[in-house]
Amino acid sequence: MKKFSIVIAGGGSTFTPGIVMMMLDNIDRFPIRTLKLYDNDGDRQAILGDALEILLKEQAPEIEFSYTTDPETAFTDVDFCMAHIRVGKYAMREQDEKIPLKYGVVGQETCGPGGIAYGMRSIGGMLEIIDHMEKYSPDCWMLNYSNPASIVAEACRVMRPTAKVLNICDMPVGTLRRMSQIIEKDPKDLEVRYFGLNHFGWWTSVKDKEGHEYLPQIREYVAENGYLTKVEVDTQHMDQSWQETHKKAKDLLAVNPRYLPNTYLKYYLFPDYEVAHSNCTYSRANEVMDGREKTVFTAAKKIVEQGTAKISGFTIDSHASFIVDLARAIAFNTHERMLMIVENNGAIANFDDDAMVEVPCIVGSDGPEPLTQGKIPAFEKALMHQQLIVEKLVVEAYITGSYQTLWQALTLSKTIPSAGVAKEILDELIVANKGFWPELN
Ligand code: NAD
Ligand code: G6P
Ligand code: MN
């Protein structure tokens, strides 16, 4: 079998070790010849890089491993770039969350003003790594899960329309695993129908391969418990605040019992509740810095100290195996059915052609082919359209540098009560994001 050369962009990410472990676990399905890490923060990446070097020497010495901050070294001779960068890192995520909360508005990584601010930072970083990839390995595919994925995907559609970038999210994967537990099935045996934008969608069908529909059974469970399941099914999304999120799906379903909701809809349907239950001095960014980031970097330092990964190591991020499924779909033309963020072009019949939507696709060597989801009802369509224009305005504001356009984007967000509040938040975000955003005028 062919062996692949991979670069992980955002090598210093808290997810890097778990994903490397997951790839080792899948090495028979997806053989690797070279693995490189690339990051623009050399010190952060080196902590993980040094630990992974020791671990790989012990567990997979045949893989040529290195880490670098040099784009040419990183992007030369690679087949796949797995991208999970966070422009501004957790320090800026903290600002994205805390600034809106001061004004009584949802403070969230990818939703509302926080997501808009993050989008304005991410676009430049993403274009930069796409350009490196196209320059040094023009045949390479980028599997991108850097956030905010909707805004990043729209920016790619407009500014890099021919780039081989596939945008994907793990939330539907994680939630389907929960659903599969509710009905006691293997998630691999389930086929779904789904429509939406990223972090903004609904399942309209969950069937097994024989065609049995499980939606009513899952709905009954979710109406009582949300997506909270008894057994741990996910290596991610396990902290107390995530448990609250899974539980809240119960209230999302009550608003719209027709379909099964993506958990992220809570920020749009219950923003007041979310604000009331947020801590404006200790947000999710703080939880992650004190939780996942500490755990992962402490584990890395321990491996380096001990000079071996045999005594303690990293945890396999098994839920991330969809990344290998996607890479295999491209590499081996497997025609795997997966949810992807793609240009609509009729997949949702009564929605804008040029919207980046999240729908099931058949993925093969030429990329994703969206499956048609038919017409969607007025309620979901109206919500989606409002959010779609927010995302489009953000990309437009990035390109034109227009303050007015970005103000409109914030004003249109369902999470913000008025143009006045939008302006106050925007003005504070501009100051906080100096050096990360293009100059606005
Ligand atoms: P992190 O801050 O730990 O890691 C991100 C890394 O990216 C950092 O080491 C940082 O230095 C690096 N970076 C920033 N800008 C860069 C640039 N221009 N070029 C190269 N490297 C750059 O963050 P994390 O919590 O591990 O998350 C990483 C990313 O993955 C985030 O964007 C997060 O939102 C995303 N994510 C997405 C999904 C999904 O469903 N799509 C799931 C999980 C995480
Ligand atoms: C889910 C979403 C990601 C998001 C992550 C945040 O996995 O799909 O897009 O980045 O949650 O998780 P965190 O633990 O960093 O709050
Ligand atoms: Mn996501």
Side-chain angles (χ1 to χ4, degrees), residues 27 36 54 92 94 110 116 142 145 153 165 201 206 224 234 270 275 295 303 315 328 331 357 365 374 393 425:
I27 202 81
K36 296 186 262 190
I54 293 169
M92 289 310 296
E94 190 178 358
T110 65
I116 292 172
M142 184 177 290
Y145 30 100
V165 179
V206 181
E224 284 277 313
D234 215 340
F270 294 100
V275 171
T295 308
I303 291 172
T315 316
R328 276 177 49 82
V357 296
S365 297
L393 289 173
I425 296 176

Side-chain angles (χ1 to χ4, degrees), residues 76-329:
T76 300
D77 180 33
V78 283
D79 303 304
F80 291 99
C81 171
M82 298 177 178
H84 52 209
I85 64 168
R86 183 187 291 286
V87 178
K89 294 178 276 191
Y90 287 121
M92 289 310 296
R93 176 175 179 176
E94 190 178 358
Q95 296 296 312
D96 292 346
E97 292 168 349
K98 290 184 177 173
I99 292 172
L101 280 172
K102 277 201 228 168
Y103 300 90
V105 169
V106 166
Q108 214 279 324
E109 179 196 23
T110 65
C111 302
I116 292 172
Y118 188 14
M120 289 289 284
R121 291 196 303 277
S122 276
I123 294 172
M126 284 303 300
L127 296 179
E128 198 179 281
I129 60 173
I130 290 169
D131 292 346
H132 293 323
M133 173 180 92
E134 294 204 308
K135 179 168 177 196
Y136 298 114
S137 287
D139 295 328
C140 182
W141 285 86
M142 184 177 290
L143 315 187
N144 178 55
Y145 30 100
S146 311
N147 269 318
S150 278
I151 292 172
V152 166
E154 169 65 6
C156 291
R157 187 190 71 80
V158 175
M159 286 185 271
R160 297 293 183 276
T162 58
K164 291 160 89 169
V165 179
L166 303 172
N167 294 295
I168 190 160
C169 170
D170 69 354
M171 198 69 237
V173 176
T175 305
L176 184 65
R177 280 161 69 105
R178 288 175 179 275
M179 292 181 193
S180 68
Q181 213 205 356
I182 294 166
I183 56 176
E184 297 177 354
K185 294 279 160 201
D186 184 338
K188 281 275 170 207
D189 293 336
L190 297 174
E191 268 182 4
V192 308
R193 289 172 63 78
Y194 182 101
F195 70 84
L197 311 171
N198 178 238
H199 290 184
F200 205 107
W202 294 265
W203 283 266
T204 61
S205 168
V206 181
K207 285 187 180 174
D208 62 20
K209 297 271 159 68
E210 286 74 50
H212 180 80
E213 179 63 82
Y214 290 97
L215 199 102
Q217 191 186 337
I218 300 170
R219 182 164 36 207
E220 219 169 280
Y221 182 94
V222 176
E224 284 277 313
N225 312 287
Y227 295 120
L228 258 194
T229 50
K230 288 168 202 88
V231 184
E232 293 190 358
V233 285
D234 215 340
T235 38
Q236 224 193 320
H237 314 133
M238 297 304 294
D239 288 350
Q240 187 52 38
S241 56
W242 270 111
Q243 306 293 353
E244 296 299 326
T245 296
H246 303 312
K247 206 159 44 177
K248 192 70 184 164
K250 170 185 171 160
D251 297 336
L252 297 174
L253 187 73
V255 180
N256 184 16
R258 188 163 26 200
Y259 304 138
L260 294 166
N262 188 301
T263 53
Y264 276 93
L265 287 163
K266 72 172 185 169
Y267 298 108
Y268 303 95
L269 298 181
F270 294 100
D272 51 347
Y273 173 93
E274 285 310 318
V275 171
H277 290 82
S278 298
N279 181 345
C280 53
T281 59
Y282 194 82
S283 67
R284 177 66 190 155
N286 300 108
E287 280 179 14
V288 176
M289 286 187 269
D290 291 341
R292 185 174 65 238
E293 189 182 40
K294 259 210 185 103
T295 308
V296 168
F297 280 81
T298 305
K301 286 175 190 157
K302 209 161 169 193
I303 291 172
V304 175
E305 239 171 64
Q306 294 169 332
T308 173
K310 285 180 184 152
I311 310 162
S312 62
F314 293 121
T315 316
I316 303 176
D317 202 347
S318 57
H319 99 292
S321 56
F322 67 91
I323 295 166
V324 163
D325 295 338
L326 177 57
R328 276 177 49 82

Side-chain angles (χ1 to χ4, degrees), residues 37-65:
L37 307 186
Y38 168 75
D39 204 290
N40 64 0
D41 180 341
D43 294 341
R44 183 180 173 88
Q45 173 172 256
I47 301 170
L48 302 183
D50 287 341
L52 284 170
E53 189 165 351
I54 293 169
L55 186 144
L56 283 161
K57 250 190 210 130
E58 290 175 348
Q59 297 189 15
E62 70 284 2
I63 297 177
E64 199 183 309
F65 176 78

Side-chain angles (χ1 to χ4, degrees), residues 195 197 200 202 256 258-259 348-352 375-388:
F195 70 84
L197 311 171
F200 205 107
W202 294 265
N256 184 16
R258 188 163 26 200
Y259 304 138
I348 301 169
N350 55 344
F351 203 63
D352 305 44
K375 287 188 180 164
I376 60 173
F379 176 71
E380 293 83 343
K381 187 183 164 195
L383 286 169
M384 273 169 62
H385 201 257
Q386 180 177 16
Q387 177 61 18
L388 173 73

